[in-house]
Amino acid sequence: MATNASGLFTTPTVPNLRGKIKPSIRIFGSGFRSPDGISKRVFCSSTFEGAEKHVGASPSESRAPRLVSKGCKLIGCGSAVPSLKISNDDLAKVVDTNDEWISVRTGIHNRRILSGKESLTTLAVEAALKALEMAEVDVDDVDLILMCTSSPDDLFGSAPQVQKALGCKRNPLAYDITAACSGFVMGLVSAACHIRGGGFKNVLVIGADALSRFVDWTDRGTCILFGDAAGAVLVQACDSEDDSLLAFDLHSDGDGNRHLNAAFKESETDELGSNGSVLGFPPRRASFSCLQMNGKEVFRFAVRVVPQSIEAALAKAGLPASSIDWLLLHQANQRILDGVSSRMQIPSEQVISNLANYGNTSAASIPLALDEAVRSGKVKPGHTIAAAGFGAGLTWGSTIFRWG
């Protein structure tokens, strides 16, 4: 027996089983589904069915992997925002705009911006600790940390620094997921896959961004939109019958990158000099440009694809739209929230919105809004939530889950 790159056991010598065993499950959308339509969440185990009966048998006779059903549930959440609050009136002092112009077009009145000794890592740690406290899970019981961010404190990612700051003694795996405003949804689905396919028990999913670092504060078309924040949830393994992440639908389209990006850009001056040796070497110093966005195109994109994605996820879950208790979208623009809810015929009172106070916080927006809704008593255990993220890449995706 050997292990593959993912750490799961493989069975290289099973040719005599071909054609003798009919597959009882087939891949379906968000997970596995049997021919009778019953959803099966499975992962490969290191123990094997029948091994105790065939101790001396050959691998081809006794090493068929046992498939074990597993579910996952969201049991804790937390959030953190910088101390510095910037109002529309504050922005009007540095760029040609005013409160009415911003609020009418976006629904935003205030946003929080990192300042002083604050960092994205400290925000992420604060949000994570709150999520662990609500979930009543000790930091040393965390098996995996997924840091969903496009603006880490380090080019190579911030997740290991979050793991260190949390004080995890067992050195659990921690890595970054870069998917901009879709990041948290991608992280949530990734957590479910790690639990169902890898045997992980407690996974911290953190959405955190500080896009204020990449905003052109002289461009009133973009600087009015963004704020900094962090939000986190604790996703825990559970029995399959208690599974709460019901379905998901994920997509990307690189052709739309031209509408929303912060591209790599070389310096216009050759500071190092080529020294006459090799043309174009050493390379010029470079950095990422300020965020560039075609607002009208992004709006059209979001209002078109988000309802389609949520409807696809609902179909995979076998649920009607009427089963949704709350619509939780990436907090980009109130007009987008209104447009999506209108197309899906979901009443405005069932739409979670807090962007008036925080603006667009990218990967942090969904867990930040969820945390406030849970702690205020709006979202209760057992409520069904349709969450969707969308943004740079272009990427978009949705997931249907029950809280608690």
Side-chain angles (χ1 to χ4, degrees), residues 18-183:
R18 285 188 180 275
K20 296 182 180 181
I21 299 177
K22 296 181 179 180
S24 60
I25 55 175
R26 59 187 174 86
I27 297 176
F28 183 88
S30 65
F32 291 84
R33 195 171 283 265
S34 62
D36 59 6
I38 300 174
S39 179
K40 303 291 185 184
R41 312 297 186 184
V42 300
F43 69 91
C44 294
S45 171
S46 58
T47 59
F48 296 90
E49 188 174 2
E52 69 283 357
K53 297 181 181 179
H54 304 280
V55 176
S58 66
S60 62
E61 293 174 332
S62 64
R63 294 307 187 185
R66 183 176 67 184
L67 298 178
V68 182
S69 297
K70 207 68 178 175
C72 57
K73 55 185 178 180
L74 287 72
I75 61 171
C77 57
S79 62
V81 296
S83 57
L84 179 61
K85 179 190 290 187
I86 300 297
S87 68
N88 291 345
D89 289 333
D90 292 328
L91 277 180
K93 297 175 183 178
V94 296
V95 68
D96 182 19
T97 190
N98 57 67
D99 178 69
E100 181 181 8
W101 192 90
I102 297 172
S103 59
V104 167
R105 287 164 176 77
T106 68
I108 300 168
H109 292 280
N110 298 289
R111 71 282 297 146
R112 300 295 185 98
I113 302 297
L114 282 176
S115 63
K117 296 182 179 180
E118 295 173 327
S119 70
L120 196 67
T121 299
T122 59
L123 288 184
V125 170
E126 182 181 345
L129 289 173
K130 290 178 180 177
L132 289 170
E133 181 181 19
M134 180 185 290
E136 298 182 348
V137 171
D138 188 86
V139 67
D140 286 324
D141 290 326
V142 173
D143 304 304
L144 173 65
I145 300 170
L146 301 177
M147 177 74 166
C148 309
T149 182
S150 296
S151 51
D153 289 332
D154 188 289
L155 175 65
F156 300 122
S158 289
Q161 284 69 50
V162 171
Q163 177 251 325
K164 176 186 175 183
L166 285 172
C168 302
K169 296 177 182 177
R170 296 190 299 111
N171 294 334
L173 173 63
Y175 66 88
D176 285 36
I177 294 176
T178 303
C181 303
S182 304

Side-chain angles (χ1 to χ4, degrees), residues 233-269:
V233 298
L234 194 284
V235 185
Q236 188 175 77
C238 65
D239 293 334
S240 58
E241 57 266 26
D242 297 322
D243 188 27
S244 296
L245 204 155
L246 308 178
F248 61 83
D249 179 75
L250 306 176
H251 299 275
S252 63
D253 178 10
D255 186 57
N257 174 260
R258 65 188 187 277
H259 299 311
L260 180 54
N261 63 77
F264 181 79
K265 185 179 180 181
E266 284 191 341
S267 171
E268 294 181 0
T269 59

